[in-house]
Amino acid sequence: MSPDRVRRPTLDTIAREVGVSRATVSNAYNRPDQLSAGLRERIIKTAKELGYAGPDPVARSLATKRAGSVAIMLCDGLSSAFSDPALCIMLDSLASTVDSPDRALLLLPGVGDAGPRAENVMRAQTDVVVSYSLPDDAPALAAVGERNLPLVVVDQPVLAGSARVQVDDFGGALLAARHVASLGHRRVAMLGFSLSADGHRGPAGPSRISAGHFRVSLDRISGYLKGLAEQGIVTDEVPLWEAPGSVRELGREGARWLFGLRPRPTAVLCMSDELALGALRAAEELGLAVPGEVSIVGFDDTPAASWANLTTVRQDLVEKGRQAGELALRMLEGARPVRPVTIGVDLQVRGSTGPARR
């Protein structure tokens, strides 16, 4: 057996075996359009016979000065993140947009709800970062800035020098509030999530709304309050239950508390479909008819919302992911950040809302 067959085969090994140059073998993997189909097939077949698994990704990164990956920074851990249908739909669309033979997706999950550890971001082999809904003061964002990596922010926060994809959260919430007010509801409550980073769970007052720093949450609550105020509803008297995340069980817990108030709210505005689905469950458990005794509105329009006949604010989650992916690719090629891309919203009226009882 020749020494080349004992040692780990290299591009030179294959080149000698096939009788071509080293550059030709490299092109078979990196620039296949430069070779005839027959020659490339012969090179790949010989490489497999010799036990060559392909170019070393580390060596390729050093040669091209590209890591070949798009990093996605998530606010929460993977179990929490992947229980959120809206995030899953957005991520799937983003992944299909950036997917190619020479690019991979690198997930950087969060710790708690503070985003990834800064040291993990500093070590990550990536060329561009997409950040999904991190708090303003997340250490991971500072690490991205320290490395001078291109950054695309989805939802929040607003950062100078980054590209951003956002949703008209305020406008969507305004539509939802106007809808329930138009149905004659005056005793309206809100189910919110993550107004601030302290993980609060339970009733919340105006001080928490003004002190929070999660833009999406604040914009949605502001839209709800604006729409209710337009109809003469005293917003200081609108009860709010805050959840530390967008989870059905938390929506169920919060709704049970809201339904225990006297007088009981006749409509509940929820900041996500998951919270709204929990509220629907709570109403069922308490024997409250929907929408006869209580109307419930969600936000996002995930597939489960349609299945549950839930009135909700629709954001185009597929378009959101596609836009984020396209921005990441453009910045990877050296493009400058553009004006924020805003995803529009509309109200999907279904069977969970109806006229208020007189």
Side-chain angles (χ1 to χ4, degrees):
M1 184 177 291
S2 69
D4 280 336
R5 291 184 181 271
V6 175
R7 295 192 298 269
R8 184 181 185 279
T10 65
L11 292 179
D12 291 322
T13 311
I14 300 161
R16 286 195 298 272
E17 192 79 16
V18 180
V20 296
S21 69
R22 186 181 190 280
T24 299
V25 177
S26 177
N27 284 341
Y29 289 95
N30 301 313
R31 302 176 67 191
D33 57 306
Q34 301 295 308
L35 307 180
S36 68
L39 177 56
R40 182 175 186 273
E41 184 178 345
R42 186 154 60 93
I43 292 171
I44 299 299
K45 181 174 183 293
T46 301
K48 288 182 178 178
E49 291 172 350
L50 293 173
Y52 181 72
D56 185 335
V58 175
R60 176 184 285 179
S61 295
L62 290 172
T64 62
K65 296 184 179 179
R66 287 281 181 92
S69 74
V70 176
I72 311 294
M73 299 197 308
L74 303 177
C75 184
D76 301 312
L78 289 182
S79 60
S80 296
F82 288 123
S83 66
D84 182 347
L87 172 57
C88 290
I89 294 169
M90 191 281 294
L91 272 182
D92 184 61
S93 177
L94 190 157
S96 64
T97 301
V98 304
D99 180 54
S100 77
D102 57 353
R103 269 192 305 274
L105 204 62
L106 175 64
L107 284 179
L108 296 174
V111 179
D113 58 1
R117 291 186 175 90
E119 54 267 31
N120 290 345
V121 177
M122 295 299 292
R123 289 194 299 263
Q125 294 187 19
T126 187
D127 304 304
V128 61
V129 176
V130 178
S131 167
Y132 178 78
S133 206
L134 265 63
D136 297 8
D137 57 356
L141 294 171
V144 173
E146 189 173 338
R147 290 186 59 183
N148 201 30
L149 288 169
L151 175 65
V152 178
V153 173
V154 178
D155 285 340
Q156 63 185 48
V158 177
L159 291 176
S162 67
R164 192 165 86 256
V165 179
Q166 61 188 14
V167 173
D168 184 9
D169 293 292
F170 178 88
L174 188 63
L175 290 175
R178 286 172 174 171
H179 171 65
V180 297
S182 73
L183 293 171
H185 293 280
R186 292 297 178 268
R187 298 198 307 274
V188 182
M190 298 184 294
L191 256 177
F193 63 83
S194 299
L195 299 182
S196 59
D198 61 3
H200 178 74
R201 176 176 182 165
S207 62
R208 289 194 57 77
I209 297 174
S210 60
H213 64 266
F214 280 85
R215 187 196 62 80
V216 170
S217 303
L218 298 182
D219 282 359
R220 291 183 187 181
I221 286 183
S222 297
Y224 291 148
L225 295 177
K226 170 70 172 175
L228 298 177
E230 288 177 349
Q231 300 301 316
I233 296 173
V234 180
T235 55
D236 286 346
E237 298 175 2
V238 174
L240 165 65
W241 198 91
E242 179 188 354
S246 178
V247 181
R248 290 187 196 185
E249 181 54 34
L250 292 173
R252 173 178 170 271
E253 179 185 342
R256 288 183 71 93
W257 181 83
L258 291 171
F259 294 151
L261 297 175
R262 294 294 179 266
R264 186 179 65 234
T266 62
V268 179
L269 297 168
C270 306
M271 282 174 40
S272 74
D273 288 344
E274 289 298 287
L275 292 177
L277 292 168
L280 286 173
R281 178 64 182 274
E284 180 185 7
E285 292 172 344
L286 295 171
L288 298 175
V290 177
E293 294 177 277
V294 61
S295 288
I296 297 173
V297 184
F299 202 116
D300 291 328
D301 198 24
T302 59
S306 177
W307 181 84
N309 203 21
L310 175 69
T311 294
T312 187
V313 177
R314 181 181 184 272
Q315 57 165 308
D316 192 333
L317 296 163
V318 173
E319 179 67 7
K320 188 178 185 179
R322 187 184 70 80
Q323 290 284 357
E326 290 187 351
L327 280 174
L329 295 179
R330 289 202 292 271
M331 294 189 74
L332 190 58
E333 297 305 319
R336 302 283 297 171
V338 295
R339 273 193 278 178
V341 176
T342 301
I343 306 297
V345 295
D346 59 81
L347 185 68
Q348 301 291 308
V349 178
R350 300 191 179 106
S352 68
T353 52
R357 282 187 172 180
R358 296 298 181 186

